Amino acid sequence: METAATGLTFRDATDADVDALVALVESAYRGDDSRAGWTTEADLLEGQRTDPEGVLEVIKSPDSRLLTVEQDGRIVACCQLEHRGAHAYFGMFAVSPVLQGAGLGKTVIAEAERLARETWGATEMHMTVISVRHDLIAWYERRGYRRTGRTSPFPYGDERFGIPQRADLEFELLVKPLA
C-alpha cells in the first residue's frame, strides 16, 4: 500500500529484503551509527540486535508478517506483527536513525495497528520494551500504550540478543486496546 501524503510504500518483506532489514535494525539500535537517532541501545547492549536467520524466521512464519516501509525505493522502517489469538504482538520496530524524530515512527505504528485490527481482528496490541528505556516507553505511552508492570527476564548469556552492559535489564509488557 502506498500513501500519497507521506510518499511511503508499506509491504510485506520478502527473502530478498533480509540483508537490508538486518542492516536497518542494527543501525537503529546498535553501534555508533545508532547514536544518530534517539532509539539507540548502544549504552545498554553491544553485539547484534538481530541476524539474517531471525529476520527470515519472521518472514516465513505463517502467523507473522514483517511490515517493510520504503521511501524512494529504499527501506526506511520495519516492524514485526504476529497474530496471537485475540491480540497481536508488535516487535522488531526500526526506523532509520537519520529519519527519526520526523513522525515516521508514528505513521508506521498506526499502520501496524490498523493492519492487526483489520487483518486478524486483533483487539489489543502487545509489545515488550526494555524497562530502563524510559524515553521509549514514554513515546509509546503517548501513542496510547500502557505499562502493565508485567516483566520477563532479559536473555542474559544469549548473544543473539546482544551483550548486556548492565545487570538490571528486563522486558516490560506494554498493551494498547485496538477497538
Side-chain angles (χ1 to χ4, degrees):
M1 179 197 88
E2 182 163 345
T3 57
T6 60
L8 300 174
T9 301
F10 292 82
R11 63 175 178 80
D12 287 332
T14 67
D15 295 10
D17 297 319
V18 169
D19 291 342
L21 289 166
V22 170
L24 170 68
V25 171
E26 293 299 312
S27 74
Y29 291 98
R30 297 288 197 272
D32 287 336
D33 288 348
S34 69
R35 295 181 194 282
W38 67 274
T39 61
T40 185
E41 295 172 344
D43 293 330
L44 302 175
L45 296 154
E46 290 181 355
Q48 70 179 28
R49 179 79 175 340
T50 191
D51 56 29
E53 294 76 22
V55 171
L56 197 56
E57 186 178 317
V58 174
I59 291 171
K60 297 290 188 194
S61 171
D63 293 324
S64 288
R65 61 194 302 182
L66 189 51
L67 186 62
T68 301
V69 185
E70 291 182 334
Q71 187 173 50
D72 300 322
R74 194 173 58 102
I75 296 175
V76 295
C78 68
C79 67
Q80 171 191 5
L81 291 171
E82 186 176 320
H83 185 208
R84 295 184 178 175
H87 75 271
Y89 178 80
F90 180 84
M92 206 180 292
F93 185 31
V95 173
S96 172
V98 297
L99 298 175
Q100 290 178 17
L104 179 56
K106 293 176 196 172
T107 301
V108 174
I109 199 168
E111 177 64 8
E113 291 166 356
R114 184 192 72 77
L115 285 170
R117 192 174 46 250
E118 293 182 8
T119 304
W120 297 318
T123 58
E124 286 184 334
M125 186 77 86
H126 291 199
M127 70 172 70
T128 55
V129 179
I130 296 174
S131 63
V132 297
R133 295 292 318 276
H134 304 292
D135 53 346
L136 186 58
I137 290 171
W139 188 86
Y140 285 123
E141 287 178 315
R142 292 191 298 276
R143 314 271 95 61
Y145 288 81
R146 71 182 188 335
R147 299 181 81 159
T148 64
R150 291 173 31 205
T151 61
S152 56
F154 187 86
Y156 284 90
D158 188 342
E159 291 188 7
R160 290 178 305 155
F161 301 99
I163 303 166
Q165 302 302 296
R166 297 171 54 155
D168 62 345
L169 301 182
E170 63 183 358
F171 294 106
E172 182 173 354
L173 176 67
L174 306 183
V175 175
K176 177 180 180 176
L178 296 179

